[in-house]
């Protein structure tokens, strides 16, 4: 089974040459004039709009977009007057993109212009989070929809709507729960549970992210002490943010790849809204990742999992690192690396702490799974959205997953100084 998802890709033009800049400005002005005339005329059908915009010196993709858009302006949006800042719209016939990893900016767009032989390529700065989808767009695995080009004070921004198929999560067969513990020493520790036992754990090192974060903190602090220009500070901040975003991309890809090897995998992560309700959030995050990176990493794992039909569940994170995954009683985590179960009747004495935590996270989604035989449980009677008392599962609210950390947010935060 598959279903279709729509997303909007965003890219900024690499600053065009003066020559291209003029052509883009002309194109936008002509488009806005055509839009204004068609709107003012009260044309309410595609053919009426077409009669008006045909003489304009515009590429056919922009004229076709006007024919679609203008009738909707009055009918659907009930617009009384036009906003001055309308973006230039094109139909998906203008979705001609190219990719080469030999260029500094790997993706380019073939800007449509009126007349033969007048189009030109513009290099794009894409959002690195959307790189996979840009590749899908170039290879036509994803289908382009409308394209909008907006001129801002300092740059040109392109929006491309894309549709792509995703697999629907499997619902039958044996489910493998995979806990993901997100931390600082190990960025991600993944652990699948098979018959309640941790199986083939996966570790993605956090040393590079940690190093970058410290370096970023030192560099920015020094720049601020020296009263460096806002531009210079912002530029360094962007540099580190992009490097961290790359790490997040790679780590999330690895985690989903790990999950895919298991039968009917379901990813389980900690729901931090539980932590936010308590006052120790800052303390909790300090021994973890920066909260921005944490939220972003979870968000990217969820996106990538959804794309390949793997569902994601969130559980209450209380005591996941202090509980023994085997006997489920409280033990100790005296060091970052090691969990110790003090109970004599438990076969676990010490265990790698992050793997213990991720096994607990996986188990928590289905707390009955290992102690009650599956066939004796009326599994369908229990709501799985957190409203039942017999399940600890929740679906995370889609509220505050920052896609970008701001410089201000950074300045208000301090990196962890623990454990090294
Ligand atoms: Zn134990």
């Amino acid at each position: 089974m598959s279903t279709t998802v729509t997303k909007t890709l965003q890219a900024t033009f690499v600053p065009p040459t003066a020559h291209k800049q003029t052509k883009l400005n002309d194109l936008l002005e002509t488009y806005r004039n055509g839009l204004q005339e068609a709107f003012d005329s009260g044309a309410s059908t595609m053919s009426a709009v077409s009669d008006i915009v045909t003489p304009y010196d515009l590429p056919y993709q922009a004229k076709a977009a006007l024919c679609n858009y203008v009738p909707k302006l009055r009918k659907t949006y009930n617009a009384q007057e036009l906003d001055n800042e309308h973006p230039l719209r094109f139909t998906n016939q203008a979705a001609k993109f190219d990719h080469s990893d030999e260029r500094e900016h790997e993706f380019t767009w073939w800007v449509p212009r009126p007349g033969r032989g007048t189009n030109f390529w513009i290099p794009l700065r894409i959002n690195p989070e959307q790189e996979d989808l840009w590749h899908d767009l170039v290879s036509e695995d994803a289908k382009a929809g409308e394209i909008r080009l907006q001129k801002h004070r300092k740059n040109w921004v392109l929006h491309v709507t894309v549709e792509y198929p995703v697999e629907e999560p499997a619902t039958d067969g044996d489910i493998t729960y995979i806990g993901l513990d997100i931390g600082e020493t190990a960025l991600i520790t993944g652990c699948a549970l098979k018959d309640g036992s941790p199986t083939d754990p996966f570790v993605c090192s956090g040393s590079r992210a940690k190093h970058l974060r410290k370096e970023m903190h030192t560099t920015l602090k020094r720049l601020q002490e020296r009263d460096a220009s806002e531009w210079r500070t912002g530029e360094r901040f962007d540099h580190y943010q992009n490097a961290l975003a790359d790490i997040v991309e790679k780590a999330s890809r690895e985690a989903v790849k790990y999950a895919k090897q298991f039968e009917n995998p379901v990813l389980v992560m900690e729901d931090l809204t539980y932590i936010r309700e308590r006052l120790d959030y800052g303390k909790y995050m300090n021994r973890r990742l920066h909260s921005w990176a944490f939220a972003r990493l979870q968000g990217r794992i969820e996106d990538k999992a959804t794309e390949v039909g793997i569902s994601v569940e969130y559980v209450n994170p209380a005591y996941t690192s202090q509980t023994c995954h085997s006997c489920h009683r409280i033990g100790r985590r005296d060091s970052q690396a090691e969990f110790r179960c003090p109970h004599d009747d438990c076969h676990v004495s010490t265990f790698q702490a992050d793997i213990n935590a991720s096994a607990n996270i996986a188990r928590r989604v289905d707390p009955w799974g290992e102690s009650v035989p599956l066939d004796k449980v009326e599994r369908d009677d229990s709501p799985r959205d957190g409203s039942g008392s017999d399940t600890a599962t929740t679906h995370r609210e889609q509220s505050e997953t920052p896609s970008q950390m701001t410089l201000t947010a950074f300045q208000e935060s301090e990196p962890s100084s623990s454990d090294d």
Side-chain angles (χ1 to χ4, degrees):
M1 283 278 280
S2 77
T3 179
T4 306
V5 169
T6 304
K7 267 199 183 176
T8 301
L9 302 188
Q10 187 178 326
T12 307
F13 283 6
V14 171
T17 57
H19 182 65
K20 286 182 180 175
Q21 189 77 256
T22 308
K23 292 189 167 181
L24 287 167
N25 284 330
D26 288 350
L27 198 60
L28 181 62
E29 197 189 326
T30 311
Y31 176 88
R32 283 181 177 161
N33 289 340
L35 172 64
Q36 190 73 54
E37 189 187 338
F39 182 79
D40 290 345
S41 76
S44 59
T45 62
M46 292 177 78
S47 65
V49 176
S50 175
D51 288 344
I52 295 166
V53 301
T54 297
Y56 277 83
D57 201 18
L58 286 170
Y60 71 92
Q61 301 95 330
K63 289 180 187 174
L66 282 169
C67 292
N68 288 328
Y69 182 62
V70 176
K72 275 195 239 159
L73 266 172
R74 286 190 195 276
K75 279 192 227 159
T76 312
Y77 308 128
N78 199 22
Q80 303 301 315
E81 57 183 320
L82 279 183
D83 181 343
N84 289 331
E85 298 302 311
H86 262 278
L88 212 170
R89 288 167 196 267
F90 299 95
T91 55
N92 64 0
Q93 294 153 305
K96 191 170 174 192
F97 298 94
D98 186 54
H99 174 263
S100 162
D101 51 20
E102 286 171 15
R103 287 191 291 259
E104 186 194 351
H105 300 283
E106 299 188 2
F107 291 91
T108 55
W109 180 46
W110 186 232
V111 182
R113 302 230 310 122
R116 277 178 169 276
T118 56
N119 294 9
F120 55 80
W121 291 102
I122 280 275
L124 302 173
R125 284 196 181 122
I126 64 158
N127 174 349
E129 283 186 15
Q130 298 179 327
E131 185 175 345
D132 289 352
L133 279 173
W134 281 102
H135 281 291
D136 289 349
L137 192 58
V138 171
S139 65
E140 294 179 8
D141 287 342
K143 191 170 163 285
E146 189 187 57
I147 295 175
R148 298 187 306 278
L149 177 62
Q150 183 63 279
K151 186 186 184 185
H152 294 286
R153 201 162 52 84
K154 287 182 182 162
N155 56 18
W156 295 81
V157 178
L158 190 69
H159 288 103
V160 186
T161 314
V162 288
E163 278 185 5
Y164 56 97
V166 295
E167 294 297 317
E168 280 186 15
T171 47
D172 51 333
D174 279 347
I175 289 172
T176 313
Y177 289 112
I178 296 156
L180 295 182
D181 182 55
I182 294 176
E184 192 171 51
T185 308
L187 198 55
I188 305 176
T189 304
C191 183
L193 275 192
K194 282 198 174 160
D195 303 320
S197 298
T199 308
D200 295 336
F202 151 84
V203 177
C204 177
S205 165
S207 57
R208 182 154 161 70
K210 191 172 179 177
H211 172 79
L212 266 173
R213 212 154 69 76
K214 290 205 162 152
E215 192 185 294
M216 168 165 88
H217 194 79
T218 318
T219 307
L220 295 186
K221 213 169 154 188
R222 209 174 51 221
L223 285 170
Q224 279 160 10
E225 279 162 9
R226 280 201 219 137
D227 242 348
S229 67
E230 196 181 317
W231 174 84
R232 174 79 185 142
T233 311
E235 190 262 341
R236 284 327 287 162
F237 178 76
D238 285 351
H239 163 81
Y240 286 112
Q241 208 212 7
N242 287 338
L244 281 168
D246 277 354
I247 292 175
V248 164
E249 283 306 293
K250 288 201 182 82
S252 52
R253 200 174 301 145
E254 291 286 303
V256 171
K257 201 171 130 195
Y258 165 73
K260 270 170 81 177
Q261 67 179 304
F262 297 100
E263 187 187 359
N264 296 325
V266 169
L267 285 174
V268 190
M269 294 190 280
E270 293 176 313
D271 182 349
L272 296 185
T273 53
Y274 283 103
I275 300 286
R276 288 201 193 97
E277 286 164 10
R278 301 199 307 238
L279 293 173
D280 57 356
Y281 181 65
K283 214 167 159 189
Y284 180 87
M285 288 315 295
N286 244 358
R287 67 178 177 81
R288 300 301 190 100
L289 270 182
H290 189 276
S291 57
W292 164 80
F294 198 114
R296 176 149 169 162
L297 189 49
Q298 282 198 336
R300 294 304 294 150
I301 291 170
E302 183 170 330
D303 283 352
K304 289 192 159 71
T306 308
E307 281 167 24
V308 295
I310 297 176
S311 15
V312 178
E313 304 274 4
Y314 290 88
V315 297
N316 186 337
Y319 300 108
T320 46
S321 58
Q322 289 108 294
T323 305
C324 172
H325 72 269
S326 181
C327 69
H328 316 152
R329 290 172 290 186
I330 297 290
R332 291 198 311 272
R333 185 174 185 168
D334 294 334
S335 73
Q336 183 64 28
E338 197 175 78
F339 170 81
R340 190 176 287 274
C341 182
H343 304 283
D344 291 339
D345 56 345
C346 175
H347 72 93
V348 171
S349 54
T350 61
F351 209 81
Q352 207 281 344
D354 291 329
I355 298 173
N356 182 63
S358 54
N360 283 325
I361 292 167
R363 189 175 58 84
R364 193 155 288 183
V365 78
D366 189 14
W368 292 5
E370 43 188 328
S371 52
V372 182
L374 286 182
D375 55 2
K376 296 212 179 120
V377 181
E378 299 282 328
R379 296 173 69 87
D380 288 341
D381 284 350
S382 57
R384 302 192 54 89
D385 59 0
S387 54
S389 57
D390 51 356
T391 165
T393 312
T394 59
H395 290 276
R396 187 177 57 164
E397 293 159 45
Q398 292 291 321
S399 53
E400 38 186 323
T401 313
S403 61
Q404 289 242 307
M405 182 188 180
T406 62
L407 188 53
T408 322
F410 167 78
Q411 283 158 349
E412 287 162 358
S413 73
E414 292 278 330
S416 144
S417 56
S418 64
D419 65 87
D420 59 342

